[in-house]
Amino acid sequence: MKIALIGSGRLATQLGMAMKAAGHDVLQVYSRTEANARSLALLLQTTYTTSLTSVTHDAQLYVVALTDAVLEDALATLCSDRRDKVFVHTAGSMPMDVFAGKAVHYGVFYPMQTFSKERNVDFSKIPVFVEYQDSIAKTCIEDLAFSLSTHVYNLTSEGRRHLHLSAVFACNFVNHCYALAADILQQHNLPFDVLLPLIDETAEKVHQLHPDMAQTGPAIRFDRNVIDKQLQLLPPSSNARSIYECMSKSIHEKYTRND
């Protein structure tokens, strides 16, 4: 399939490499930043542009991997004079109808994974959630999805909003807790590596146990002796202290309710 890749960020980079590996022809990369556009185009061995008005008209599918803040403004220019083309965005929180009135054939291609430019991923294992406006978009989007992943699901925009919310809790917030833990260790000359076996086991457990069953720690029984001692180690009025108190309360309330 002939594809134009609109964006050059973390998701666009990994998706671009996956599409190329699957045999798709990535005709062009667009980015507002020339260095980023050039870098990704070089990686994909294709051309690039920094102007939406210069994006190729030769693609069958336009994959729009831009941030939510600029997505909607870019579509008016991008979709103009391309009524026979198919457009998808890759955002978890944006509705499919962001294309309404701008494009004829459109949908969503949402790979639910955390991406980094420096770390390659196996796209075949990533769940991809798709949505489409019509049969033309359906054929094009599903062809792309099934060429990259063995886990493809249909999901409405409303369902995707809640899926994205759950991903923020499961990934972004958890990673921030890693960062807070790393700060504490660094202050006491301990390497972050000492936590890796604990992190790995915690992640492995939820492959076999429901998270409610895998929960451990003093907050389950709300052990004030341990909790108060640990709170004293955190600076008053700090975000880390507030997070500790809020998380402990949430864990205890959920454990008590489930019990």
Side-chain angles (χ1 to χ4, degrees):
M1 191 184 314
K2 294 181 178 180
I3 298 172
L5 182 55
I6 312 302
S8 61
R10 294 186 294 270
L11 188 156
T13 298
Q14 293 297 324
L15 180 55
M17 289 193 294
M19 292 189 299
K20 181 176 174 61
H24 297 291
D25 188 2
V26 182
L27 298 180
Q28 189 182 54
V29 171
Y30 160 83
S31 176
R32 292 182 300 175
T33 307
E34 184 169 2
N36 293 343
R38 185 191 306 114
S39 177
L40 183 52
L42 183 62
L43 182 65
L44 301 178
Q45 299 179 308
T46 189
T47 63
Y48 71 89
T49 181
T50 58
S51 171
L52 284 172
T53 58
S54 298
V55 170
T56 179
H57 281 72
D58 295 333
Q60 300 163 265
L61 174 66
Y62 292 77
V63 177
V64 186
L66 299 174
T67 63
D68 292 2
V70 302
L71 173 62
E72 195 161 3
D73 288 342
L75 294 184
T77 301
L78 184 64
C79 298
S80 179
D81 298 326
R82 294 184 173 93
R83 295 181 63 82
D84 59 330
K85 310 298 185 179
V86 177
F87 295 84
V88 296
H89 73 65
T90 60
S93 57
M94 294 293 285
M96 179 178 69
D97 286 347
V98 71
F99 289 108
K102 303 179 182 72
V104 177
H105 314 298
Y106 56 86
V108 177
F109 178 96
Y110 174 53
M112 192 180 68
Q113 182 56 279
T114 177
F115 295 100
S116 299
K117 289 186 178 181
E118 305 79 11
R119 180 178 171 82
N120 293 338
V121 295
D122 182 355
F123 239 92
S124 68
K125 298 179 181 179
I126 296 175
V128 174
F129 297 86
V130 300
E131 187 179 12
Y132 32 80
Q133 170 65 14
D134 60 13
S135 60
I136 294 176
K138 177 180 185 292
T139 298
C140 193
I141 294 168
E142 287 189 343
D143 282 353
L144 175 63
F146 283 109
S147 74
L148 301 185
S149 174
T150 57
H151 306 281
V152 179
Y153 306 90
N154 291 315
L155 189 65
T156 65
S157 291
E158 182 63 18
R160 186 164 26 83
R161 287 176 60 213
H162 289 88
L163 176 69
H164 187 244
L165 173 62
S166 73
V168 168
F169 274 95
C171 175
N172 307 129
F173 289 172
V174 169
N175 190 73
H176 182 61
C177 287
Y178 295 160
L180 294 177
D183 289 344
I184 293 170
L185 291 172
Q186 185 177 27
Q187 291 165 13
H188 297 277
N189 301 312
L190 291 167
F192 184 72
D193 291 2
V194 300
L195 290 182
L196 293 180
L198 176 64
I199 290 171
D200 291 344
E201 174 59 17
T202 303
E204 284 293 328
K205 278 200 297 186
V206 295
H207 284 266
Q208 300 176 12
L209 300 174
H210 188 279
D212 287 341
M213 299 299 296
Q215 187 69 57
T216 61
I220 286 180
R221 57 190 182 278
F222 215 69
D223 187 335
R224 291 287 352 173
N225 183 50
V226 175
I227 291 172
D228 289 343
K229 286 180 178 178
Q230 292 190 336
L231 283 171
Q232 290 172 13
L233 300 175
L234 298 168
S237 302
S238 67
N239 286 334
R241 187 182 181 112
S242 298
I243 290 169
Y244 184 102
E245 291 179 316
C246 184
M247 291 285 281
S248 295
K249 181 179 179 182
S250 180
I251 290 169
H252 180 64
E253 288 182 350
K254 196 171 195 310
Y255 180 79
T256 303
R257 184 168 62 250
N258 291 341
D259 190 53

